[in-house]
Amino acid sequence: MVRPPSARSAVPGVGRLGLLEPSAAASLRELGWDNVESIPVLWSLSRAPDADLALSTLMRLRESIGDGWDAIDSAIRTDTSLRGRLFALLGSSSAFGDHLVAAPESWEGLRRKELPGRDELIADLLAVVDAAPEEGPNATPMLFRAAISGPEVAASLRKRYRDHLMLLAALDLAATVENEPVLPYQVVGRQLTDLADAALTAALAVAVARVCKDEPVPVRLGVIAMGKCGARELNYVSDVDVVFVAEPADATATRLAAEMMSVASQAFFEVDAALRPEGKAGALVRTLDSHIAYYKRWARTWEFQALLKNRPATGDIALGEQYRAALMPMVWSASERPDFVADVQAMRRRVEDLVPADLRERELKLGRGSLRDVEFAVQLLQLVHGRVDETLHVQGTVEALTALAAGGYVGRDDAANLTASYEFLRLLEHRLQLQRLRRTHTLPADDDEEGMRWLARAAHIRPDGRQDAVGVLGSEIRRNAVRVRRLHAKLFYRPLLDSVVRLEPDALRLSPEAAIRQLAALGYAAPEHALGHLKALTGGVSRKGRIQALLLPTLLEWLGETPNPDAGLLAYRRVSEGLADQIWFLRELRDEGAIAQRLMIVLGSSEYLPDLLINAPETIRMYADGPSGPLLLGPQPDEVARGILTAAARYEDPKRAVAAARSLRRHELARVASADLLGMLEVPQVCRALSSVWVAVLEASLRAVIRAGEAERGAPAPADIAVIGMGRLGGMELGYGSDADVLFVCDPRPGEDETKAVKWAIGVADRVQQLLGAPSTDPPLHVDAGLRPEGRNGALVRTLAAYAAYYQQWAQPWEVQALLRAHQVAGDQELGVRFLHVIDKVRYPEGGVSAEAVREIRRIKARVDAERLPRGADPATHTKLGRGGLADIEWTVQLVQLRHAHEVPGLHNTSTLEALDVIERTELLDAQDVALLRDAWLTATNARNALVLVRGKPSDQLPGPGRLLSAVARVAGWPNDDGSEFLDHYMRVTRRAKAVVERVFGA
């Protein structure tokens, strides 16, 4: 028989209730809830975060309490508030379910509709151990002595503590099931803190009974709460950080503190005293004078930051207040410490490094856009401005945000939004901890749909019509994380812009002094100048000024993370002013986040690039990402070279042709340097690109001068000319600071007078040098022919025959060595190749170079090592001539070539890196030795290039520890800006390579 629809739908089935366990229907029948009278109960159960967990726990509770179940059943049916608290609690926390099953009488405590106050909590926990006020000379209102202090007290205290924790959790969760009031986050945090204070007080009472059995307490002991407990924003499950101050700090005081920590850790929560002076290595208990002396002399910035939240919690409260009064003035002056900014930045790095990469998106406490981000930023602002504004002398994060907004240090809307995000993240943290009463801050994995569904329901997240509860939760997590990630732009920089331009009519305005303090704390060494730049950028009422005001908070945040934000802000001002008539510039920064962020990284890291970008602004557009990756990586060296030659060929006038070539070189330098600095290019790619553009400009200039010479003569050129690259140009391994070492060779054409032809060729070479070496805002183009026969005393250009005669009769060993890197780069290709065939007989002689030549090379090398290093240079860190530097590696490779190139054709190679590959393949050196040489060459070249990018001019000497070295480390791709680590790595690599060099030269 088919039941009528009304009968079928009267009592909801397990499926409609969201119950998935196969035993659910039987459990409802056993409880007597499968009837019409129980429909309100069933729908309440369905709203529990995990209805199956709640139902199975109720079945366990029914079995545990026996005859007492009828009272619970009656209360569930008649008391909607209790029902909401019980079902929400059991559906959210298996730990509290276990607690109720183990102590079923505790359910009666859930009838209570209001939270106990601090005094009631203290009295109740003290009653468990039958404590009475301590008497004697050191008695204080918060010092008690327990009458029950045996081993059994831990279990008794733990049970009573859990009862109070359970009531709070039930009231906190009730709104997820029934229409109950929502407990504000601050109420929950304060209640947890009051309960922690009561727990510490009871633990101290037991410690007093155990340590001072037969006498009054002979010491004053103050217990100072730190961290979240000090700020009255404690979690459900958290370590409680404390510091002890005592008079005197003797063995009794230490035993009292240690015993209190032991009792509390057994009964309530882990008590951690690691924030004390010297951490876990320091004395557990100190006198007030000892604390003061430590903080005056030894404390670091993070220790003052930790003191922001100190609060006397129990024990001798008066002594605790003396502690606070003595130390807080030091806290408010911490921002004036010379190492304040460096310490703050180091703290941020340490926090970020604590989180494994695969958990950063799931970590509520330490991940990206996390609770620690908000807390850290708020505390930093308090330290900066609290010195002159006592309204900021508060401990809680939410209270501090409110005070910062009231003082105009943070925008009101920003403070409200960040408070909402902070409370949302803390809510999720609390729910995760309640599940099993474990200390956790990690969201369920993305593929854990069941875990995310439970969390959504426990956090009272509901579907919004477009997404289910899990989808809404995911969106909210992402939205709040993004909002928190922008906290530095919001908290630090928007008020700075409000102080120089009125973005919001009703916004409070930072005073100039406060703005300068804030900029100084953000790492600006000259905050007055930085404020001036902000005023200049946002000045007037123009549309550009308004756009700048909207962009700058985010730009300043990115700049603040660079090695030199002062120089970066000045450079940004110069670039903005230089591109004032380019309407695309600000639009690109506004619409393309990648462009803006990369530009700030470049400007805050390099003195080499700003002028290039001002003169080659189109490069900035290439900071964007294209369909196949960053646009900076699009142009290939061959394409760039063809473009330079084509552009220069349009002009008859050599000056204009060279100017066109230099203009394109400027663009290419800006592109390569930007891609290099942003970590997009490897060292060999950088060297190849720089060498290729140099060769193209040299070729374009030579062609332009020859064309002009032919036009002037009214006849074809009397000679062919080739340019031979030497040194790093010949090896296509130029760096940013390298000159172009060349040889000019000519060959008179048939019927031409050789003397006149050579004279004409010398004029061409001289003209090329002049045009390329002419002063310019670009990095210089110095063509150096100093390696020619007879050096600077010899003819600038020689015929092929003259070169052949000279090298056959007069070539010195060092000249033969120099020819190892000779390669045709510009001019007449056929002539260049003929030149190479001529010198091949000299540089790769049959049977190898003589033993006498090898001895001469060794002698010259020893002399170079002893004499060529500049005065005052550090031989350990000079990238070119220092120990294991570029010269060492290149001389070593060339010595192997001189000895073996006649029998190993692969060594007929002008590239140091490629020659090393051949040496390794042919086993002329041990593979491990070759790896050390290669690593040293790459490391030194990278460091040398980074030096030029950072300083804006050629340099070979790495600086000592300091801001400049840190900048070089960052630009060189070191994973952090710890310059000392980078320097240690450089010296380790080059030291190992030097050992190989010495073995090769000594063999």
Side-chain angles (χ1 to χ4, degrees), residues 898-980:
L898 290 170
R899 285 172 157 176
H900 301 286
H902 67 286
E903 58 189 2
V904 180
L907 290 178
H908 297 190
N909 195 316
T910 59
S911 164
T912 301
L913 286 179
E914 292 176 10
L916 278 170
D917 292 341
V918 175
I919 291 169
E920 182 175 11
R921 284 198 305 271
T922 54
E923 300 182 352
L924 294 174
L925 291 179
D926 183 78
Q928 187 174 358
D929 286 348
V930 174
L932 292 173
L933 294 174
R934 183 186 295 113
D935 192 16
W937 191 92
L938 291 170
T939 299
T941 301
N942 189 30
R944 194 179 189 219
N945 284 344
L947 271 168
V948 178
L949 289 176
V950 171
R951 301 188 63 185
K953 56 186 178 182
S955 178
D956 297 310
Q957 177 63 62
L958 285 173
R963 191 167 187 167
L964 181 59
L965 178 62
S966 296
V968 171
R970 283 272 290 274
V971 171
W974 194 247
N976 58 56
D977 57 1
D978 189 332
S980 296

Side-chain angles (χ1 to χ4, degrees), residues 340-352:
F340 178 75
V341 173
D343 281 355
V344 165
Q345 292 171 341
M347 279 188 285
R348 286 186 64 189
R349 284 197 303 272
R350 280 198 297 272
V351 168
E352 292 166 359

Side-chain angles (χ1 to χ4, degrees), residues 792-840:
R792 304 198 185 280
N793 295 320
L796 180 60
V797 183
R798 290 179 183 240
T799 65
L800 181 61
Y803 274 112
Y806 175 84
Y807 286 128
Q808 286 172 6
Q809 296 183 50
W810 307 108
Q812 300 295 310
W814 70 266
E815 291 179 297
V816 175
Q817 182 183 353
L819 288 175
L820 290 171
R821 307 200 73 181
H823 194 73
Q824 158 68 11
V825 294
D828 187 274
Q829 183 71 21
E830 189 269 340
L831 175 58
V833 172
R834 286 164 57 202
F835 176 87
L836 296 183
H837 285 315
V838 166
I839 66 169
D840 279 352

Side-chain angles (χ1 to χ4, degrees), residues 66-108:
D67 294 341
W69 172 253
D70 290 342
I72 298 179
D73 183 69
S74 175
I76 289 172
R77 293 175 182 277
T78 59
D79 189 342
T80 304
S81 295
L82 171 68
R83 186 165 71 219
R85 292 193 287 277
L86 182 63
F87 286 2
L89 181 76
L90 299 183
S92 298
S93 176
S94 59
F96 279 125
D98 293 343
H99 177 70
L100 262 182
V101 170
E105 71 282 357
S106 296
W107 81 270
E108 290 281 0

